[in-house]
Every structure is written in C-alpha cells, then in structure tokens.
Amino acid sequence: MKIEKNANTSKYSLFEFNVKDIINGLIFSAGYAFLIGGLLLDNISSLNHSAWKYGVYLLCFLVLIFPSVLFNSFIKNRRKKEGKSTLLYLSFSLLILYLVFFVFFDLPLELQLNNYDEFSFSFYDVLRSLLPLLMILPVALSVFVELPYWALSFFDSFFTWIAIGFYVQCMFFNRYIGKITGAKYVWKNHPVFSFVNVIFWLILLAVVIFISLKYKKNKERILIFIQSSLLILGMVSFIFTLVKAPKEAFSRRQLYLDGSEQFTVGAETNVILLIADAVDNSFVKEVMNDNPEVFDVYNDFTLYTDTCSVYDLTNTSIPQMLYGYTQIEESNKSVEFLSRFDESGFRMLFYGVNAIMPGSECYISNYASSGNLEDVSSISYDLINRYFILLSVYEIVPCYFKSMIPVNIIDFDQCIVFKKNKQDVIHDNSVFEKNLRLTFNENSPKCFIYQHLDGAHLPCDDYVGETKHCLNIFGEYIKQLKELDIYDNSVIIIASDHGVHDDVNGLPYGVAATPMFMVKGKGEHYDHIVISEKPIYYRYFMATIVRYAGLTDSTGDYEIFGKSIEDYSEREVMTRVWFDGSFSSNRYRKYKYTGDTKELERVVNEGVYEEVDTLQYDYSDLD
C-alpha cells in the first residue's frame, strides 16, 4: 500500500523556534552582552552613569540575541526546506571560526608573545583588547546562513582559498618584511619575489575552483578536512608559543634606559660617541670663524667638511648609524657589530633616542625593565586592538598589497602610560652640562658609550649658539677624560645624526645632509685641529667605529661594514644618496649625487630628486 505524504508537512517556516533554541540563545547572548559591554565601558570613560551602563548591556544583548537564537533555527529549517546536507554549514562554520581565530587572535597574540620585550603592556592586555572581536563569529554565521545554498557554497570555496592563502603567506612569503619597524614593504624592490607570490595565489585559486567543480559531491568533505587541518595547525602553534613564552610576557613592563652610569667611563679604554642632534657643518663653520678658541680643546681631532647622512630624520638616521638599518629588513650588520664589542669585554652604555633596536637588548648594559607594573594612569585597549589588527592584516595580505597598509602610523608607546615613567637618561644640553662629572665605571674597564644631546634641534632659536654650547659641553667632557688620565686611550667621535632640516622657513643655511663629524683615535696628537675634505658617508659609520676601536677583522669587514674613513683619499669623488624627510608630508625626496657638498647643494636647490613614499634603501644603485 502506497502512503502519500501530505504536501503541507514538507513546508517549514524559516523562523520556526522552540523553547530550547530560545533558552540557548538567551544564555549565549547574556554572556556575550556582559563580556562585550564590560569591555566597551572600560574604554569609554564618558559612560559613567549607571543608566548608560545598563543601556550598553541592553544594546549588546539585543544585538547579539538574534544571531544566537536564530542560528540553529536557520540551519535546521533551511535543511528541511531545501533537503540539503548540513555538511556545508559545518564547513562554513569551521571556516569562519578559523579565520576569526587566525587573523584576530593567533597572529596578534603570537606577535606579542614572540616580541614581549618590545612591549610595555602584557599578553592579557592584548587579549582583552581583542575579545570584542569574538562577536564577529556569531554575526558572520547568522548573516551568511541566510544566503541561498548555492551562494553559501560559493563563499565557502572563496573564503577557503583566502584562508589557505593567508596561512601560506605568513609561513613562506613574508621574507622581506623583517620585523615590524613601521616601514612599508615596497613590492617594486622585489619584483621577482612579488611576482612569484601573485602566481601562488592564482594557482591556489585555480586548485580550489578545480576541486569545487571536479568533486562536487565530496567538496564539502574535502574543504572540511582542509579547514580542520588549518584550525588544528593554528591552535597547536598558538598553544606551543603560549606554553614556551616566559613569564615576563604576561606582566606589564616599563622598558627604559637606566641613566645611573651615564657619567662613567672605562678605566682601561673607551669608544665614545657624542651626538649633538641637528648640528650642521654650516653652524660649525660659523663657530670656527667667530669663536676659534672653542676648538682649542679639539687639537687632536680631524674635522670632516664633506659629510652626508643617509637620512634626514633622527628616528631613521640613528638606527642606520648604530645598527646599519636601512628600513629594508633586519640588519645583517648589527649582531656582528654588537657582538664584536661584547666579546672584547666592552660594557655598552647607550644614552639616546632610538638607541634600542630589535636584537640589541641583550648587548646594551643599561637597558632595563621594571616588571609587574600594574599602576598605570591610562591604557588604550582600543589602540592596542587597532595596531595589532593592522599588523595582522599586514602579515596576511599578498606582497603587492603590503605597501598599502599604513603600518607607519603604529606607535605602541601611546597605548599605555604608567603613573611613574622612568626616564633616567639626560638629553637636555644644559642639564647634561650641569651634571657632567665623570668617574670610572665600576663594572667594566672597557666602555662603548653613546651620548645623545638635544643639540641644535627644533625648537631652537639660535642654532649657531646651541652648536657652540654643545661643543663647549663636549670640550668639558674631553677635559675630564684628561683629568682621569684616560683621554689618550679613548676613541672619541663627535657628530650629529643629521644636519639642519632644509624645510624650516627662514634659515640662511645650506642643505640638511651635512652633519658635523670629527674624530680622534687612540694616542692621536696634533698641534691643531685637522680639516679634511675626505668624503664622509654615514653608510659606512659602523665601519669607522670598528676601525678606530681596533676591532677590525680584515677577512670580512669590507663585505659586512664597507669602507672606513681611512680607505678614502682627500677630495675623492663619491656617489651618495640622501633621503630628505618632510614635516608636512609622508612623501620623501631621494637625492642622488656624485661629488662634494656643493654638488649636493646644486641638486637640492634645482630640485633634482626622485619622490618616493618610503625610506627603504639597499644601496644597490651605488654598488
């Protein structure tokens, strides 16, 4: 006997609920409402009235109740209505779960755990900033599940392509981004690598399309396997990173340079780098003409007049001078440079801006961290969230698009402010002069010392006057070295990180690439200061320090550091490149010239430059 099914029994309402759905939805929504609402209230200080607080909780509850209540009903009723398998919904749910986990939690949190010593905030601070993003999961699922079956199937395949691409991009194609330093990846500098990256994404897309068309019946099972594998790999990697992370990653730390030894020197030997910010050779020339007695204490020095920095800004010039950074990737010079002093028994004492770069922390003796600091005056979870998500997006996108991600706006120092900020290092010219009383360092007879004064940097109403002031301060420093009978056995380099900024209105001086530079080696003595016209280029700054410190390794130093001062002759013709930054624009001018300072002045005055949007540079067009 044939039994006929009533046609009405096959019709189901899309919004067919039961008590179990509603109870689950209420519990789920209430939990999310208190979680998200609490985080919102922590970040919105103006919502201090109780009525506003309850309003925030209610809003979160109402926004979240619909996705949570309707989700199960949508899946059940759509399956019954269309007679389709639930495998697609499982596949898409795993996919959304993986993308939310990988992009918004795994990458940001692993970044913090692997670089904890570069952040003042803790793992818990980053996690707390990211928790509101959990609401993406139920919202995305509830929105996409409303789509027709064929549309959901398309998005399942499309986002699987994206998910696999993100994972492989992070694992194998982020070769040229190095550590996150605020510099943009310039794909034009790596055309072959970037082209291969594009080809990979296209091939991957073709594979996903092939699977979707060739294996229609088993597509969901294949995609579920891929998505589950990615999710398991991501979770295992995250758990491994979490377990091996040191306890310091889970507490707030104030990172700072300890200034307790700022006015000490080694009793045996010293390499001393004295930097006066923004002091140009133009200022030095005027001081020499008007007050030649200032240079009486510099009789044993050589003053170089044909100088050129690589960059016009302190935050790029100092890392380039001390560590060889050119904003391309991690410097291959820094570890070799630092370890050479470390292995020779030097205590490295750095007192200046931008003195710490990734990888240098273990070498700098006065680099300190005060752990377990909970007493903060403010912490911006919103800013932490924004910066880490920006970095996460920067990591996952193909090379071509990385230049479009504005990572240069990231400044993690803005995220947290402690009630008692440690700032022991003295930069102010007058305060430094007042406290200048040199003594021997009790911890090491050998010291490599970097001092950075404000110099003639803006705001400054008398550039020549401040240059003279700094020269007198450094002159007193030299006198005290002589009193301690350590002057002859000290290498002293007196320089500036860059010259005067040429986009400052009203300055009658030359271009901004001619920083002050003079040096005295161990045991050097002259009747009067020596003026040299050898070409000085800060590309080789590290080579000169190594050479004068007596730490040269003749077998490989030219390849690592390049030529030092001693390798050039008077008035030798050199090709140099200088990047001129601007206070009013994110664009930069790249000047390339062959000759001395006059040639640089010519190309600057005539506007012979290439406009670029990055300071990345590998010197390839000079070699």
Side-chain angles (χ1 to χ4, degrees), residues 9 41 108 156 163 231 267 292 301-302 317 369 371 394 429 462 464 475 491-492 586 603:
T9 62
L41 291 169
D156 190 37
L231 187 59
F301 283 75
T302 299
S317 191
S369 170
Y394 180 76
N429 300 342
D462 185 359
V464 175
V491 175
I492 307 172
N586 289 327
V603 297

Side-chain angles (χ1 to χ4, degrees), residues 456-506:
H457 200 282
L458 294 171
C460 179
D461 55 5
D462 185 359
Y463 299 95
V464 175
E466 283 302 328
T467 297
K468 178 182 175 182
H469 188 194
C470 288
L471 288 171
N472 283 330
I473 294 173
F474 294 156
E476 178 60 28
Y477 197 104
I478 290 170
K479 290 177 182 177
Q480 293 190 24
L481 288 175
K482 291 179 178 179
E483 292 172 0
L484 293 173
D485 198 24
I486 193 61
Y487 171 78
D488 282 344
N489 212 28
S490 295
V491 175
I492 307 172
I493 298 176
I494 296 176
S496 177
D497 50 344
H498 58 80
V500 62
H501 297 295
D502 69 341
D503 59 352
V504 178
N505 294 327

Side-chain angles (χ1 to χ4, degrees), residues 427-591:
H427 300 297
D428 182 83
N429 300 342
S430 297
V431 178
F432 186 93
E433 182 181 32
K434 181 180 179 181
N435 288 272
L436 181 54
R437 299 291 184 275
L438 295 182
T439 59
F440 287 126
N441 192 288
E442 297 179 355
N443 299 302
S444 177
K446 295 181 178 181
C447 291
F448 177 16
I449 301 168
Y450 159 54
Q451 304 273 12
H452 191 123
L453 297 191
D454 291 340
H457 200 282
L458 294 171
C460 179
D461 55 5
D462 185 359
Y463 299 95
V464 175
E466 283 302 328
T467 297
K468 178 182 175 182
H469 188 194
C470 288
L471 288 171
N472 283 330
I473 294 173
F474 294 156
E476 178 60 28
Y477 197 104
I478 290 170
K479 290 177 182 177
Q480 293 190 24
L481 288 175
K482 291 179 178 179
E483 292 172 0
L484 293 173
D485 198 24
I486 193 61
Y487 171 78
D488 282 344
N489 212 28
S490 295
V491 175
I492 307 172
I493 298 176
I494 296 176
S496 177
D497 50 344
H498 58 80
V500 62
H501 297 295
D502 69 341
D503 59 352
V504 178
N505 294 327
L507 291 181
Y509 304 107
V511 297
T514 56
M516 171 181 65
F517 187 88
M518 51 184 174
V519 61
K520 179 204 79 75
K522 293 180 182 179
E524 278 195 277
H525 291 286
Y526 304 107
D527 293 332
H528 52 77
I529 189 170
V530 177
I531 308 297
S532 173
E533 295 183 351
K534 285 184 179 183
I536 299 298
Y537 190 27
Y538 277 9
R539 173 186 181 182
Y540 305 118
F541 198 92
M542 297 167 72
T544 296
I545 296 176
V546 170
R547 158 69 177 77
Y548 272 90
L551 302 178
T552 301
D553 178 1
S554 58
T555 59
D557 277 4
Y558 281 111
E559 183 177 347
I560 299 173
F561 301 116
K563 299 179 179 180
S564 71
I565 294 174
E566 300 301 313
D567 297 309
Y568 289 93
S569 58
E570 290 291 323
R571 299 187 180 183
E572 183 172 338
V573 177
M574 178 191 290
T575 298
R576 288 170 273 192
V577 166
W578 172 61
F579 290 88
D580 185 16
S582 173
F583 293 123
S584 57
S585 172
N586 289 327
R587 305 284 289 176
Y588 307 96
R589 296 182 292 273
K590 176 184 175 183
Y591 294 93

Side-chain angles (χ1 to χ4, degrees), residues 273 275 316-325 331 333-335 337-338 348 350-357 364 448-450 452 538 541-542 545 561:
L273 179 58
I275 298 291
T316 48
S317 191
I318 288 297
Q320 184 274 316
M321 293 163 65
L322 289 179
Y323 301 113
Y325 274 67
S331 172
K333 305 176 183 180
S334 58
V335 173
F337 179 74
L338 296 169
M348 306 188 76
F350 283 12
Y351 307 101
V353 294
N354 305 111
I356 303 295
M357 294 296 289
I364 309 304
F448 177 16
I449 301 168
Y450 159 54
H452 191 123
Y538 277 9
F541 198 92
M542 297 167 72
I545 296 176
F561 301 116

Side-chain angles (χ1 to χ4, degrees), residues 101-102 106 110 113-114 167 171 230-244:
F101 167 73
F102 184 67
D106 183 27
E110 286 203 31
L113 291 172
N114 289 325
Y167 181 81
M171 295 299 106
L230 289 174
L231 187 59
I232 292 171
L233 284 173
M235 288 186 171
V236 169
S237 172
F238 175 72
I239 293 172
F240 179 76
T241 304
L242 188 64
V243 170
K244 75 171 185 177

